[in-house]
Amino acid sequence: MAETRGAEHIPQWKMDEVTEIKDLVKNYSIFGVVSFEGITADQIQKMRRNIRESAVLKVTRNTLNEKALRESDGSVPDMIQYIEGQSALIFTNDNPFKLYKMLAQTKTPAPIKAGAIAPFDITVEKGPTNFPPGPMLSEFQGAGIPTAVDGGKIAIKETKVVCKAGEKVSQKLATALSKLEIFPMEVGLILRAVYEDGTIYLPDVLHVDETEMFNKFVTAAQEAFNLSVNAAIPTKENIEVLIQKAQTEAVNLGVEAVIFETEVMDKLIGKANAEATSVANASKYEL
C-alpha cells in the first residue's frame, strides 16, 4: 500500500521520461553521457538537428536519467557515475569512434567569459578595425590592447599576446575580445563515456588522429613491401618488382662471369670496349 501511495505522487511525465530512456537504451546499440555546460538552449536545438540523422540526444533531469539507467539490464547502471552537472544522454547505432568524431564536430567558437582561464595564449593581431574613435579606444587600451586612430578608425598597433595560457581573463579583456570577435573558447557536446555491449569507453581511448593513423598505415605498408622484396617472398603486390630485380641480378651475374648470352652481350661488349679504351689511354701516357 505504501509503495502504491508513493508511486501515485510521481508525475506521469516523469514516469514517461524514464520509460522513454529505458526504451532508447534497449533499441540502440550504444549510448553515451555528454556534457552540455555553457551551451544555450538554441545551440542545443541546433546540435540536435545536425545529428538527428545518426543519433538521438535526450536532455532531461539527471535524476530521471539515473533512475532509467539504474532500472536497465546488465552493467548499464555503471554509466550513472558519469552523470553530473549539465548532462544528457545520446543514443546511436554507430560505433563509439564515430560517435566521438561526430560530437567533436559539433564544437563551435565561443567568446570567453570574465574569470575564465585562457586555454591557450590569446593573441590580438595587428590591423584595422571597423570601430570609430571614441570610448571604444580607451576600452581597448584599458584591456591591454595597443590601439591608435588610423584613417578615422581604431587600429590595433601591434600583434600582442593579451592573455597567456592558464591566466584568468579580466572583465575588460573579455568584453574587448568579444567586440573584436575573437572567440578563444569552443562549445559543444563533450563526450564523457560511451557504453557498448557491457564495455565502457572513455574519450582518451576514442580520440584518434586520422592523419597520423593514415601515415602509420602507409609507412607500415611500405615497410612490409620492402621486407617481402628483400626476403624474396612473392606476393601479388611485389611479384613484378621481384621479377625485375631477379632479371637485373641475373644480367649483372652474366656480365661478371662473362657468360655469352643474348641479353648480356651488349653489356659485355660495352665493358670490353671500356677496358680496351682504358688500356689504350694508359699505354699512351706510358709512351
Side-chain angles (χ1 to χ4, degrees):
M1 292 294 292
E3 291 182 0
T4 303
R5 285 196 298 272
E8 291 173 353
H9 290 88
I10 300 177
Q12 184 63 43
W13 72 269
K14 289 186 177 182
M15 297 173 62
D16 291 342
E17 285 281 277
V18 170
T19 299
E20 181 184 353
I21 295 168
K22 291 165 67 176
D23 288 341
L24 288 168
V25 171
K26 290 179 180 178
N27 294 333
Y28 284 87
S29 60
I30 72 171
F31 76 93
V33 176
V34 297
S35 167
F36 60 92
E37 293 185 15
I39 305 176
T40 65
D42 289 342
Q43 288 172 322
I44 290 177
Q45 291 302 323
K46 183 178 179 180
M47 292 174 185
R48 181 181 274 125
R49 289 194 298 269
N50 290 340
I51 65 175
R52 65 185 175 187
E53 292 185 2
S54 55
V56 174
L57 180 65
K58 181 64 179 175
V59 181
T60 190
R61 295 182 179 180
N62 285 354
T63 53
L64 300 181
N65 282 330
E66 292 171 1
K67 180 175 175 60
L69 298 186
R70 190 175 294 111
E71 295 177 1
S72 296
D73 298 332
S75 56
V76 169
D78 292 342
M79 288 288 285
I80 293 174
Q81 62 185 305
Y82 302 103
I83 299 177
E84 60 179 359
Q86 292 181 297
S87 299
L89 299 181
I90 188 166
F91 303 86
T92 181
N93 287 320
D94 287 336
N95 65 61
F97 294 93
K98 284 187 177 181
L99 176 60
Y100 180 89
K101 181 179 179 181
M102 177 180 65
L103 293 181
Q105 293 172 344
T106 68
K107 295 180 181 180
T108 57
I112 193 165
K113 296 180 180 179
I117 303 299
F120 48 79
D121 289 353
I122 300 175
T123 302
V124 176
E125 299 291 340
K126 177 182 179 180
T129 75
N130 294 321
F131 299 105
M136 192 69 68
L137 185 64
S138 58
E139 285 186 28
F140 287 153
Q141 291 174 344
I145 301 173
T147 54
V149 178
D150 184 9
K153 299 288 185 180
I154 295 176
I156 311 299
K157 291 194 299 183
E158 61 181 271
T159 298
K160 182 181 178 182
V161 174
V162 292
C163 188
K164 293 184 177 181
E167 293 182 348
K168 188 177 293 187
V169 176
S170 68
Q171 178 65 61
K172 289 182 178 180
L173 180 58
T175 301
L177 291 173
S178 180
K179 289 180 178 179
L180 289 170
E181 297 185 353
I182 297 174
F183 303 135
M185 304 298 290
E186 282 188 331
V187 297
L189 300 173
I190 308 300
L191 189 64
R192 291 183 180 152
V194 180
Y195 180 93
E196 181 184 37
D197 195 24
T199 301
I200 295 177
Y201 299 93
L202 299 182
D204 57 344
V205 175
L206 301 175
H207 175 69
V208 176
D209 187 325
E210 294 185 2
T211 300
E212 180 183 359
M213 187 62 66
F214 176 80
N215 290 337
K216 286 183 178 179
F217 274 114
V218 171
T219 300
Q222 187 62 54
E223 290 176 350
F225 181 85
N226 292 340
L227 176 62
S228 66
V229 170
N230 292 331
I233 301 173
T235 67
K236 181 176 66 175
E237 289 76 16
N238 71 9
I239 190 64
E240 290 186 7
V241 175
L242 283 176
I243 292 174
Q244 292 171 0
K245 181 183 178 185
Q247 182 180 16
T248 299
E249 291 175 349
V251 170
N252 292 339
L253 176 61
V255 172
E256 293 299 324
V258 193
I259 299 174
F260 299 108
E261 291 289 341
T262 304
E263 293 183 5
V264 299
M265 284 303 297
D266 287 344
K267 292 184 178 296
L268 284 174
I269 293 171
K271 180 183 179 182
N273 183 62
E275 291 175 349
T277 302
S278 177
V279 170
N281 289 337
S283 299
K284 184 190 303 181
Y285 287 124
E286 289 178 0
L287 294 174

